[in-house]
Amino acid sequence: MGTVLALSLSTPAHAEAAAVPDGNVTFEVIAANGSGCAPGTATVIADSDKTGFRIRYHDFVAEAGGSADPTDRRKNCQVGVLVTVPAGWTFAVAEADYRGRARLYSGATALQRTNYYWQGSSVNNNNDETFAGPLNGFWATKDVAPVLVYAPCTEQRVLNVNTELRVDPGTSSGRSSMSMRSSEGDVDTLFNFSWIRC
């Protein structure tokens, strides 16, 4: 039957999806690396209704200006999530919601960039969001997949999520920051699924 991945390239993101499957859906972080996430500092939490999962980062922050180290102005974290689903089902990421905190002085700017893709696939979803100071508080962005890219049926694949935070002090003199640390409140990345039968 070929892979569902090939079929999915023409599937609109808002096509009607099947019901959520019976059986267990499990998630496991098999790799997390980058300047923004030392091993053990990124965790995955499954939604109880099987509609998606969340990634929580424990020490993911970029800083620039003031006394910040120049190497801290750009941080990235790549997380590999192994997803196991019941036989006869597969899914695609339909939406992704990103939440964090920012403290940007007037004249400073920041960037949040995320792309995610199935291991071995050349198709990926990219999302760039920019922010400008003054800004002090929570931020939230949303990425709706233009095309649903389903994991191949009968194959276990890793979903790679690569996130970058970048701060540019610009004309400001203060120490600006952009973060996705779970210790700062309701901060995480939420991936929402679209399920189909194989």
Side-chain angles (χ1 to χ4, degrees):
M1 178 177 111
T3 64
V4 177
L5 179 61
L7 176 65
S8 70
L9 295 179
S10 61
T11 305
H14 301 290
E16 185 175 345
V20 174
D22 293 327
N24 291 330
V25 180
T26 63
F27 306 90
E28 178 186 359
V29 174
I30 61 167
N33 56 65
S35 57
C37 62
T41 63
T43 57
V44 172
I45 299 167
D47 287 352
S48 59
D49 59 3
K50 304 178 189 175
T51 58
F53 69 92
R54 299 170 188 271
I55 299 178
R56 291 195 172 143
Y57 305 95
H58 303 287
D59 192 25
F60 194 4
V61 57
E63 298 178 309
S67 59
D69 189 308
T71 62
D72 289 338
R73 68 188 309 162
R74 177 189 176 274
K75 295 294 178 107
N76 79 292
C77 179
Q78 176 153 319
V79 178
V81 181
L82 179 64
V83 185
T84 304
V85 304
W89 290 86
T90 188
F91 73 92
V93 175
E95 293 182 354
D97 295 288
Y98 313 98
R99 298 183 291 193
R101 283 189 67 91
R103 181 183 178 94
L104 302 176
Y105 288 93
S106 181
T109 58
L111 168 75
Q112 173 250 321
R113 170 178 291 156
T114 303
N115 73 301
Y116 51 92
Y117 57 93
W118 291 110
Q119 175 187 19
S121 172
S122 61
V123 180
N124 66 66
N125 287 317
N126 297 284
N127 184 62
D128 282 16
E129 295 289 345
T130 56
F131 303 83
L135 175 61
N136 186 15
F138 287 100
W139 56 265
T141 64
K142 178 184 286 289
D143 174 26
V144 178
V147 173
L148 294 177
V149 180
Y150 289 91
C153 287
T154 72
E155 293 184 27
Q156 235 182 3
R157 287 289 180 94
V158 174
L159 180 66
N160 290 304
V161 181
N162 193 5
T163 303
E164 176 184 342
L165 299 178
R166 187 180 298 182
V167 178
D168 185 340
T171 59
S172 69
S173 57
R175 184 170 181 161
S176 293
S177 64
M178 184 83 166
S179 68
M180 296 179 75
R181 291 184 294 206
S182 56
S183 61
E184 295 178 308
D186 194 14
V187 173
D188 55 21
T189 298
L190 169 63
F191 289 95
N192 293 301
F193 297 162
S194 170
W195 290 98
I196 61 170
R197 294 183 185 275
C198 293

